[in-house]
Amino acid sequence: MKKLIKISIAIIFFAQLLVANKPGFQNQEMSIIPAGIYTPLYVDDTTDQSVKVESFLIDKYPVTNEQFLEFVKKNPKWKRSNVTKLFADQNYLMHWESDEKLGQQVNPKSPVINISWFAAKAYAEFHGKRLPTVAEWELAAMADENHADGYKNDKYISRIISWYSKPNSESLPPVGSVFKNYYGVHDMHGLVWEWTRDFFNALVTGESRASNGINRNLFCGNGSVGTTDFTNYPAFMRFAFRSSLKANYTTRNLGFRCAMDLK
Amino acid sequence: MKKIKYITAFLILTIAAFILSSCDESKSQEVQEVITAKLTQAPHVPPPITRDYPAKVKIELEVLELVGKLSDGVEYTFWTFGGEVPGSFIRVREGDEVEFHLHNHPSSKLPHNIDLHAVTGPGGGAEASFTTPGHTSVFNFKVLNPGLYVYHCATAPVGLHIANGMYGLILVEPKEGLPPVDREYYVMQSEFYTEGKYGEEGYQPFSMEKALEENPDYVVFNGSVGSMVGDKALRAKVGEKVRLFVGNGGPNLVSSFHVIGEIFDVVYQEGGTTRNQKNVQTTLVPAGGSAIVEFQVDVPGEFILVDHSIFRAFNKGAIGKIAVTGPEDEIIFSHKTADELYSGNKKDFGSIDPTTGTYRDNNTKENYVPQFANEASEQDYSSLTPPANNESKSENSSSTNDDLAKMGKQLYQSTCSACHMMDGSGMANVFPPIKDSDWIKKNGKAGMIAAVANGMNGEITVNGKKYNNVMPPQQLTDTQMAAVLTYVYKEINKSNETVTVEDVKKYKNSNALTRK
């Protein structure tokens, strides 16, 4: 069985690659993000910390409740009642009616939430994918509807801030309901926060009123010290959010999508 | 077996003795009591602390993101400590050990934390309290310094978290406590930066541009326009001592805190513990800082709290009120006792005699008529009323017919002519004529007096033309009214009618008007 899965994964994987190398590639599920430069929000002023991001594939939509339910059915150890606290806190999938039933309150097409990093990672690996890195996610998220560098437009920033500023709505809209960006990727902003593979890379340590390399955090003082673009408030908020998480945490507005290498 | 019994008995006795001895200890500086602090929402303050020893104080504060009212018809998303802006008021005592629980509600979109300026430690607790939605952080601190401190959220981007309402006050009472007062209130100023202009209705998103320019549309007390006016005004009774715990959440502006019509008897500058200023009119409250002010209210009335950067008060919302009730004290404050005519004639002032260099008093006090004088003491005008047996002479009872005519004319020109014109011809389609007016003929003295005293509004027809406007009630004494209406009859309409003070008394409260 395991062998079968592995083989099938490999087949899917290679198929992806074959198609993916064609220019303008977009398959049913994933979009290609061309290589680019991403400058992290928190960098040491003394060295150039820009990250070159190789081109990669990313899911067009966040993973939905019905997709995750499918995964849970095939992987019983990720059922709500089977998961250990180590891998997901007690709110894991709490919005579902039961282990294998979404219930009336949950839209199957809405992004899955109350998911831990471990659960997201397991889902991605099961599908032969992985979670995007912070750099990959941020690079893909820079695009607005018509430009790869939409984030340079204040209006785009304002739109994102206004979403972050509103409390969570009672029920989440289905995926695809926000906007489709330049790369054909939907809902990067305005629907849910999303897990990244290395979400803790801007880990919060120590007090930030002094800047000393990696040992800085997101509190008072950091708006002026060690940030590349202090008007990029949405990025601040994402980093703050990522920093507040642990890998077993689950929250009501945090989902995920998968990525793949293009090599 | 016996041995074991002895040992147990011995052990029990020692433990009992130990317990008893520790109970004997009087209240030392050892923290032994655990108290859950009662927090209050502005403008209320928890009661003074009566303990004379430190305690372990448990504080529970919940972060909630919610849409609320910034002004009438204006909604904004507030991020709050305790569900309201400003955050709940915390009151502890110097030396207390605080166990702080910060809950971030599961519906929150963002992580939050708290930086209490009363904390001695990195970030004021910011890092220790960094909390993702649906989680609770607990940390402990000891309050070493007494004073009135601001607390605020310090999660990046800090400015945004503060701009959305995440601030409040924590009072660390000095060991000896604060001097007793009759009333304590919690007032916190802050600004809001909205996409729309002041008063623009609907949901208003945060404007980063205005925040960076430090150009707010709203400057408010206690989180919204009108939070302390009308039936929400602060209350006090004449003779009471009032203490205000004033905070400024910013995020950007410094407040020039002032109470119109009051002088702060005592100010604890910047929220420190020294009563270091007396008799202060306006005190500065820095962003992220505080002040404690105390004053006794001596007379009844409404006292207005403002940021004396005055356009903020009258055009951006920085207004609150203290409604003081109780008996008047005419010595401390009399209200208006006179409303004199002033012609602008130089001779009314004293002047320096250029030849001698000495001061000359030219004041002649003409036409002095008390505005709110007791009707009984109003002087009689022999020309208008039969002489009364009232010999009490006030300083200006020597009024003559000429004086009255002059008064009537001046009053007409200063009060009536703006609408009815100098010659009484009115303004076409707007204000009716009072010269040769069939309305006056029809309604007579009674109608005129009632109109002047009580005002008029609604549609009336004068000389065949319709008018629909408002005439406000005129604030005139009976004598003034008699004089001005006599002027209208005699001078404007060239008739021999006169209006007497008695007429005025008779008709001013009547429903003489056929039409409103």
Side-chain angles (χ1 to χ4, degrees):
Chain A
M1 188 63 204
K2 266 194 184 167
K3 247 188 191 170
L4 239 173
I5 290 170
K6 270 191 184 162
I7 289 166
S8 60
I9 286 169
I11 290 170
I12 292 169
F13 189 67
F14 281 111
Q16 293 268 27
L17 291 193
L18 287 174
V19 200
N21 282 327
K22 291 182 182 167
F25 157 88
Q26 288 198 356
N27 74 356
Q28 289 301 97
E29 288 184 349
M30 302 184 94
S31 288
I32 197 167
I33 308 292
I37 300 289
Y38 165 67
T39 308
L41 191 64
Y42 297 94
V43 294
D44 193 312
D45 333 359
T46 53
T47 53
D48 179 14
Q49 302 244 338
S50 296
V51 179
K52 181 162 188 331
V53 180
E54 298 297 338
S55 55
F56 66 103
L57 289 160
I58 194 162
D59 283 355
K60 285 182 186 171
Y61 301 101
V63 173
T64 64
N65 284 303
E66 63 183 4
Q67 287 171 325
F68 201 81
L69 180 62
E70 204 59 32
F71 162 76
V72 167
K73 284 176 177 165
K74 290 173 185 163
N75 300 272
K77 79 167 193 170
W78 287 103
K79 276 187 198 173
R80 196 164 65 185
S81 54
N82 290 345
V83 164
T84 60
K85 283 271 166 60
L86 190 63
F87 294 126
D89 66 24
Q90 67 265 41
N91 291 337
Y92 174 69
L93 295 177
M94 69 178 288
H95 60 301
W96 287 9
E97 190 170 299
S98 65
D99 270 357
E100 295 193 3
K101 196 167 173 215
L102 300 183
Q104 291 300 307
Q105 304 303 313
V106 176
N107 183 340
K109 300 277 183 210
S110 291
V112 68
I113 48 171
N114 295 318
I115 288 290
S116 68
W117 179 83
F118 292 108
K121 181 169 168 284
Y123 175 99
E125 284 166 359
F126 178 75
H127 290 90
K129 302 178 182 180
R130 59 175 174 80
L131 292 178
T133 62
V134 169
E136 286 171 339
W137 196 99
E138 290 287 331
L139 185 69
M142 283 179 185
D144 66 5
E145 286 92 332
N146 307 310
H147 317 86
D149 59 357
Y151 73 100
K152 288 180 179 164
N153 178 339
D154 286 351
K155 283 215 165 54
Y156 183 49
I157 297 288
S158 298
R159 260 164 62 195
I160 300 170
I161 289 180
S162 73
W163 174 71
Y164 288 163
S165 300
K166 285 185 186 149
N168 292 330
S169 51
E170 277 306 303
S171 58
L172 278 172
V175 298
S177 59
V178 188
F179 74 94
K180 178 172 145 186
N181 79 7
Y182 174 79
Y183 302 116
V185 180
H186 296 255
D187 311 324
M188 287 298 278
H189 306 285
L191 198 53
V192 285
W193 301 105
E194 294 182 13
W195 281 110
T196 46
R197 191 171 69 181
D198 50 343
F199 67 95
F200 44 78
N201 77 344
L203 204 56
V204 176
T205 48
E207 166 61 17
S208 68
R209 276 159 252 227
S211 161
N212 44 4
I214 191 105
N215 186 19
R216 63 165 63 98
N217 68 17
L218 293 142
F219 307 138
C220 259
N222 234 55
S224 53
V225 179
T227 61
T228 52
D229 179 5
F230 83 103
T231 58
N232 194 349
Y233 273 43
F236 262 117
M237 290 153 107
R238 287 192 295 274
F239 275 83
F241 186 78
R242 288 174 189 138
S243 304
S244 75
L245 297 167
K246 291 189 175 129
N248 67 331
Y249 281 16
T250 70
T251 82
R252 223 191 266 183
N253 54 16
L254 175 60
F256 72 102
R257 71 179 76 212
C258 309
M260 277 177 80
D261 290 354
L262 245 183
K263 282 173 188 156
Chain B
M1 201 63 210
K2 261 192 185 171
K3 240 188 193 173
I4 290 174
K5 265 190 190 166
Y6 281 129
I7 290 168
T8 336
F10 175 75
L11 273 177
I12 288 170
L13 283 172
T14 8
I15 290 167
F18 177 75
I19 289 171
L20 284 172
S21 70
S22 64
C23 286
D24 262 356
E25 260 178 50
S26 61
K27 298 271 193 222
S28 66
Q29 291 302 293
E30 289 290 306
V31 171
Q32 37 205 328
E33 199 178 341
V34 181
I35 298 167
T36 299
K38 287 193 179 64
L39 311 186
T40 58
Q41 309 275 31
H44 304 291
V45 181
I49 289 168
T50 49
R51 281 183 282 120
D52 58 356
Y53 51 92
K56 180 108 189 154
V57 181
K58 192 172 166 192
I59 293 170
E60 307 231 15
L61 194 54
E62 181 187 51
V63 174
L64 268 173
E65 301 168 1
L66 44 87
V67 175
K69 194 184 95 165
L70 179 55
S71 183
D72 284 334
V74 182
E75 291 201 314
Y76 188 82
T77 302
F78 296 98
W79 299 348
T80 71
F81 286 111
E84 282 190 22
V85 176
S88 311
F89 195 101
I90 304 169
R91 191 166 194 155
V92 292
R93 182 185 176 276
E94 182 184 356
D96 281 351
E97 290 174 19
V98 176
E99 183 185 292
F100 202 101
H101 296 242
L102 188 73
H103 310 287
N104 191 357
H105 196 271
S107 67
S108 295
K109 202 160 249 172
L110 295 159
H112 298 286
N113 63 1
I114 191 165
D115 168 351
L116 300 115
H117 291 177
V119 168
T120 313
E127 190 189 334
S129 60
F130 192 38
T131 313
T132 209
H135 282 249
T136 296
S137 296
V138 183
F139 68 110
N140 297 277
F141 59 90
K142 183 169 183 169
V143 282
L144 305 173
N145 303 61
L148 179 62
Y149 298 95
V150 167
Y151 66 77
H152 62 88
C153 183
T155 300
V158 181
L160 181 59
H161 285 255
I162 295 178
N164 284 344
M166 302 197 75
Y167 37 78
L169 291 179
I170 173 169
L171 173 67
V172 182
E173 273 195 38
K175 285 193 174 89
E176 63 279 9
L178 292 171
V181 290
D182 300 296
R183 292 177 190 261
E184 292 182 324
Y185 287 114
Y186 171 19
V187 176
M188 198 158 190
Q189 181 177 322
S190 58
E191 320 98 62
F192 288 91
Y193 300 87
T194 53
E195 291 287 348
K197 287 195 171 66
Y198 178 83
E200 201 168 295
E201 299 209 333
Y203 177 82
Q204 290 296 335
F206 165 76
S207 164
M208 196 167 67
E209 200 182 344
K210 286 179 185 171
L212 289 172
E213 289 170 359
E214 304 188 10
N215 181 21
D217 279 285
Y218 293 89
V219 182
V220 297
F221 292 125
N222 289 353
S224 65
V225 177
S227 64
M228 287 185 288
V229 298
D231 56 0
K232 288 180 287 188
L234 308 182
R235 304 204 167 274
K237 294 195 180 84
V238 165
E240 288 184 327
K241 280 200 171 74
V242 178
R243 176 182 289 138
L244 301 181
F245 295 107
V246 187
N248 183 359
N252 292 315
L253 302 184
V254 170
S255 171
S256 303
F257 187 72
H258 176 84
V259 177
I260 298 174
E262 261 303 341
I263 293 143
F264 303 140
D265 301 330
V266 177
V267 174
Y268 300 66
Q269 236 167 10
E270 293 165 0
T273 45
T274 312
R275 298 159 69 87
N276 60 337
Q277 261 298 25
K278 290 191 172 151
N279 307 317
V280 173
Q281 60 194 308
T282 302
T283 192
L284 276 175
V285 189
S290 70
I292 305 174
V293 300
E294 293 171 6
F295 50 93
Q296 180 168 319
V297 286
D298 302 301
V299 292
E302 281 196 331
F303 296 84
I304 316 285
L305 318 178
V306 294
D307 177 341
H308 216 297
S309 294
I310 210 71
F311 276 89
R312 299 176 188 169
F314 295 107
N315 303 78
K316 297 188 172 188
I319 279 198
K321 283 184 182 170
I322 304 176
V324 178
T325 51
E328 292 277 2
D329 183 333
E330 297 283 342
I331 303 295
I332 295 178
F333 187 74
S334 73
H335 296 281
K336 190 187 273 195
T337 55
D339 186 339
E340 301 177 13
L341 291 169
Y342 169 59
S343 62
N345 188 334
K346 250 204 143 98
K347 75 175 173 61
D348 289 345
F349 291 111
S351 57
I352 302 293
D353 183 335
T355 53
T356 61
T358 54
Y359 178 79
R360 274 193 310 225
D361 186 356
N362 301 334
N363 202 344
T364 54
K365 287 231 170 169
E366 296 186 334
N367 304 324
Y368 176 87
V369 178
Q371 170 74 3
F372 295 108
N374 185 338
E375 300 289 44
S377 76
E378 273 209 10
Q379 61 277 39
D380 303 316
Y381 296 102
S382 48
S383 63
L384 303 174
T385 51
N389 296 332
N390 185 351
E391 284 303 312
S392 77
K393 292 212 168 192
S394 57
E395 57 179 297
N396 56 327
S397 61
S398 56
S399 300
T400 63
N401 267 337
D402 280 352
D403 288 335
L404 268 184
K406 208 197 275 178
M407 185 200 294
K409 183 177 181 176
Q410 283 174 326
L411 277 169
Y412 184 83
Q413 290 176 354
S414 63
T415 310
C416 319
S417 69
C419 302
H420 296 294
M421 300 296 123
M422 282 297 196
D423 61 356
S425 61
M427 195 183 282
N429 307 321
V430 186
F431 302 116
I434 51 174
K435 183 184 171 70
D436 303 332
S437 151
D438 61 357
W439 189 94
I440 291 181
K441 287 192 182 72
K442 197 160 48 189
N443 290 278
K445 276 188 213 180
M448 290 244 280
I449 292 163
V452 174
N454 310 314
M456 289 179 71
N457 60 59
E459 194 175 270
I460 60 167
T461 307
V462 181
N463 299 348
K465 290 203 174 72
K466 284 190 167 35
Y467 296 88
N468 191 349
N469 217 315
V470 175
M471 170 160 169
Q474 303 300 314
Q475 301 295 323
L476 300 172
T477 63
D478 296 354
T479 309
Q480 289 172 322
M481 215 180 292
V484 75
L485 290 176
T486 301
Y487 177 82
V488 170
Y489 273 122
K490 280 189 153 164
E491 300 300 326
I492 290 189
N493 287 295
K494 304 294 178 210
S495 83
N496 291 325
E497 277 286 1
T498 54
V499 177
T500 63
V501 172
E502 259 190 335
D503 292 333
V504 174
K505 285 199 204 310
K506 191 166 159 191
Y507 296 119
K508 68 178 176 183
N509 297 321
S510 73
N511 295 326
L513 290 182
T514 48
R515 276 182 222 77
K516 278 218 157 170

